[in-house]
Amino acid sequence: CRTGCWSNHRTGCCSYHTDYLIPSELEAQELTGETDPEKMADVILSWGPKGVIIKLGSEGSYIKDAEGGVHVKPFPVHAIDTTGAGDNFAAGFVTALSKGFTFRQAAEFASAVGSLSTEKVGSTTAIESFDQVIAFMKKCGPDNPNIYGICGIILLLRTVSFTDIINPSVINFWNGLPPVLSTIRIWR
């Protein structure tokens, strides 16, 4: 169910048969009526899942289970295309759980997968293997300098959407812009 119809399914989507719910921030707002990620997580957990991860886009995620909640920082990357980053995040989370990671470890692995997936055009082109993600995490953790050596500094990046791909005039326009006129994201 996409954003817009969540409000019709508030508690029905989170029965006691749900282990983990991974909504975006906007989806969690629609589900709960709250705007603070910690309050959103509390409401969702009251419906029965054993854990919730609220995806906060370039701000990382907020995770909470019975042991408590914590903000998981994103991994610093040179993002090119954010298409599918949330889906990659969810796939990374499930993969990590299936390999025996704890809830927190799985969320950190998911953050690495979601972040890394934005470094190439296309939703599935940047992630090649589990080992690749582990190596990326060791090299470029949220608290470590990244491969570009510019953690905490403004990263200039240009995002490409589906409409850019199918519209040659948009591609030509974007390709003609200097990077400074492209989208700017600040990693904290």
Side-chain angles (χ1 to χ4, degrees):
C1 188
R2 285 286 182 212
T3 302
C5 63
W6 279 104
S7 57
N8 296 330
H9 302 284
R10 288 192 195 271
T11 59
C13 73
C14 302
S15 73
Y16 285 91
H17 301 290
T18 301
D19 289 328
Y20 300 100
L21 188 67
I22 310 175
S24 68
E25 184 175 20
L26 182 59
E27 291 165 337
Q29 285 174 356
E30 286 194 33
L31 278 169
T32 66
E34 298 289 346
T35 57
D36 176 65
E38 186 173 359
K39 290 180 182 177
M40 289 182 233
D42 288 337
V43 171
I44 293 170
L45 285 174
S46 75
W47 298 335
K50 62 182 180 182
V52 62
I53 300 175
I54 299 169
K55 297 178 290 184
L56 304 172
S58 65
E59 297 298 316
S61 62
Y62 182 79
I63 68 169
K64 192 163 190 177
D65 65 1
E67 295 179 20
V70 66
H71 177 253
V72 176
K73 295 178 183 178
F75 283 73
V77 293
H78 182 85
I80 294 171
D81 182 4
T82 60
T83 304
D87 294 333
N88 278 288
F89 180 100
F93 179 74
V94 172
T95 298
L97 283 180
S98 73
K99 292 189 176 284
F101 287 35
T102 66
F103 177 62
R104 170 74 187 261
Q105 291 168 333
E108 289 171 351
F109 184 83
S111 181
V113 172
S115 296
L116 188 57
S117 74
T118 68
E119 288 198 323
K120 292 184 180 178
V121 175
S123 61
T124 61
T125 56
I127 305 296
E128 297 171 10
S129 70
F130 178 83
D131 291 336
Q132 172 204 17
V133 178
I134 294 296
F136 171 74
M137 290 176 74
K138 288 178 182 175
K139 186 175 187 178
C140 193
D143 296 319
N144 300 319
N146 70 10
I147 56 176
Y148 304 106
I150 52 176
C151 287
I153 297 175
I154 296 174
L155 295 177
L156 300 177
L157 46 113
R158 181 171 49 204
T159 58
V160 178
S161 70
F162 179 72
T163 55
D164 294 340
I165 294 167
I166 61 171
N167 186 342
S169 64
V170 173
I171 292 172
N172 292 334
F173 170 76
W174 274 107
N175 287 339
L177 288 177
V180 74
L181 295 178
S182 301
T183 305
I184 297 175
R185 179 175 296 162
I186 300 173
W187 296 98
R188 297 179 197 170

